[in-house]
Amino acid sequence: MKILTVIGTRPQFIKASPVSHALIGAGVEEVIVNTGQHYDVNMSELFFKELEIPEAKYNLEVGSGTHGEQTGEMLKKLEPVIEKENPGYVLVYGDTNSTLAGALAASKLHILIGHVEAGLRSFNRKMPEEINRVLTDHVSSLLFCPSDVSKENLKKEGITAGVHVVGDVMYDIFRKFEHQFPDDNLYGEYCLLTMHRAENTTKDVLQKRIRQISEVALKVVYPIHPRTKKCLKEYSITIPENLVLIDPVGWLELMGLVKHTQFVLTDSGGLQKEALWHGKHCFTLRNETEWIETVEQKSNSIVREEDSLDVTTIYNGDFTNPFGNGNASEEIVDIIKNNFRDDLFVS
Ligand code: UD1
């Protein structure tokens, strides 16, 4: 019984870690393939180390490029690896180009696919992530949903077979490492910002977002993603005085920053939930969110690009967690085992 896992970006390293450990615990063989979509040491290697992810057997070293180049290169390199390893399932995570490439390559080779974080929808087809999610869900046999909302989204698209609400694997890892989040506050009174999405890094929108951030009457600490760093320079956008740029940090350090922040500003999916688990208010710098449960909990407010960023009303506190019990990974592995037959390959 062999599982082949395809990962390649920061959030996927985080999500795959607890599942890898659950697979080891259940005695299931896992072959990890790192597409190399993220390749800077502090965007990849650091995560393998600190999250105790087993070493990848393959690194495809695909790196950056246009969507077509990047996804195409991944497909080309994944195909022979999947063929050679001939796993029972290919496991993919989330909604990046690595997710789509893993799912497409496996489906063409008639290998069953398990999609972790299935059924999320922003209903904005201009987001590359939305295309990746929809396509991946439609070729997957096992769909692991973090909540009932994602299960309902799948139902509306006619997907009901193989759908399991297991909770969020990010909550598993949050619980596992909670006691290791750094205690020291390096920045005094501040708010934490992360921002890198394609829709926020066009010249026009990035200018608007930076203007919003400059209106916050507080120090804004920003571990900056290389994409946004490049865009700020390319568009000659002036960095406002309250913005403190730092290099990208590992996940534990980021959780330390969330622990001490007044509130969170982000366009990341994961951080919207991590803020909730930390009891911190999150302002999501997007026009919509897939994680509507966080908005219903009042822990999250959407800030559209045309809005002014009003941080006067902040809800910090003990929120109810709508994303499972912290045992999603074990449930995923149980479900895979129960649906695993060596003769299950589609002919
Ligand atoms: C990708 C995902 C996004 C996810 C994010 C997590 C897609 C379509 N998007 O976006 O959903 O939220 O990862 O971080 O898959 N770069 C570096 N070093 C690196 C990686 C990237 O310098 O290690 C720079 C390059 O200039 C590159 C740019 O960042 O062109 C964008 O990287 P890419 O992997 O294409 O997408 P992300 O913005 O990271």
Side-chain angles (χ1 to χ4, degrees):
M1 176 164 173
K2 190 197 277 183
I3 301 293
L4 186 141
T5 296
V6 180
I7 48 180
T9 64
R10 267 191 316 193
Q12 288 166 330
F13 305 141
I14 300 167
K15 291 166 197 171
S17 164
V19 180
S20 287
H21 287 277
L23 286 167
I24 293 169
V28 179
E29 182 187 357
E30 182 189 32
V31 171
I32 298 180
V33 182
N34 181 356
T35 63
Q37 178 170 349
H38 284 174
Y39 44 87
D40 288 350
V41 172
N42 55 0
M43 302 275 287
S44 58
E45 235 173 275
L46 173 60
F47 285 74
F48 272 84
K49 207 180 271 170
E50 72 173 9
L51 302 178
E52 299 159 8
I53 305 168
E55 204 184 328
K57 184 168 174 187
Y58 301 89
N59 189 329
L60 308 181
E61 295 181 345
V62 164
S64 304
T66 65
H67 289 281
E69 279 165 2
Q70 196 177 50
T71 316
E73 195 63 15
M74 286 178 196
L75 277 174
K76 204 165 91 186
K77 292 184 165 174
L78 275 168
E79 201 166 64
V81 170
I82 298 176
E83 245 182 331
K84 179 169 168 230
E85 294 290 343
N86 194 22
Y89 273 92
V90 165
L91 263 190
V92 294
Y93 290 83
D95 53 20
T96 74
N97 289 344
S98 297
T99 316
L100 177 65
L104 271 183
S107 66
K108 295 291 178 81
L109 292 169
H110 305 159
I111 304 283
L112 299 171
I113 299 155
H115 183 201
V116 180
E117 210 178 73
L120 291 200
R121 295 292 181 267
S122 64
F123 304 103
N124 175 0
R125 291 269 170 121
K126 284 194 176 154
M127 287 177 74
E129 292 85 356
E130 185 76 350
I131 306 295
N132 294 341
R133 288 178 197 128
V134 171
L135 296 177
T136 301
D137 283 337
H138 281 261
V139 291
S140 293
S141 297
L142 288 177
L143 299 102
F144 302 110
C145 296
S147 73
D148 290 329
V149 172
S150 32
K151 183 182 173 182
E152 276 308 302
N153 288 338
L154 291 174
K155 196 172 161 194
K156 285 181 197 145
E157 293 175 20
I159 305 175
T160 50
V163 176
H164 302 267
V165 177
V166 293
D168 194 326
V169 289
M170 288 190 77
Y171 190 53
D172 297 10
I173 196 160
F174 185 90
R175 293 292 300 274
K176 180 174 170 188
F177 284 96
E178 211 170 359
H179 61 285
Q180 287 182 37
F181 298 161
D183 261 330
D184 30 326
N185 178 0
L186 305 174
Y187 296 99
E189 202 171 315
Y190 66 94
C191 70
L192 171 69
L193 165 70
T194 77
M195 183 170 65
H196 68 275
R197 295 247 183 206
E199 65 264 35
N200 275 334
T201 47
T202 63
K203 186 173 183 184
D204 175 49
V205 180
L206 188 55
Q207 274 169 338
K208 285 181 183 152
R209 290 300 183 192
I210 293 291
R211 199 172 313 129
Q212 287 174 328
I213 291 155
S214 71
E215 281 158 13
V216 177
L218 196 62
K219 189 194 301 175
V220 177
V221 176
Y222 183 13
I224 188 164
H225 186 290
R227 170 211 277 281
T228 325
K229 190 175 178 183
K230 208 166 84 179
C231 291
L232 282 172
K233 199 169 166 209
E234 193 179 317
Y235 310 146
S236 308
I237 295 176
T238 310
I239 313 292
E241 268 176 26
N242 64 333
L243 194 55
V244 181
L245 301 184
I246 61 172
D247 285 335
V249 293
W251 184 69
L252 292 176
E253 202 176 331
L254 187 73
M255 291 303 99
L257 286 170
V258 181
K259 203 166 162 178
H260 301 289
T261 189
Q262 302 296 309
F263 52 87
V264 171
L265 302 170
T266 193
D267 65 1
S268 138
L271 209 42
Q272 294 173 49
K273 296 168 291 165
E274 286 159 344
L276 180 145
W277 297 326
H278 275 280
K280 299 289 170 128
H281 193 94
C282 177
F283 293 90
T284 294
L285 306 175
R286 290 181 46 197
N287 297 335
E288 71 280 305
T289 180
E290 302 78 27
W291 301 104
I292 56 167
E293 299 91 336
T294 59
V295 178
E296 284 159 4
Q297 285 274 321
K298 286 201 163 60
S299 85
N300 193 3
S301 317
I302 301 295
V303 182
R304 292 170 184 81
E305 58 194 60
E306 305 298 342
D307 294 349
S308 63
L309 177 50
D310 177 7
V311 295
T312 46
T313 310
I314 289 170
Y315 296 98
N316 284 339
D318 253 345
F319 302 112
T320 307
N321 170 34
F323 305 112
N325 309 317
N327 58 1
S329 312
E330 280 80 15
E331 280 199 43
I332 288 170
V333 173
D334 273 351
I335 293 164
I336 291 175
K337 282 180 86 172
N338 290 334
N339 286 277
F340 200 97
R341 280 191 6 231
D342 284 322
D343 59 348
L344 253 184
F345 305 116
V346 184
S347 57

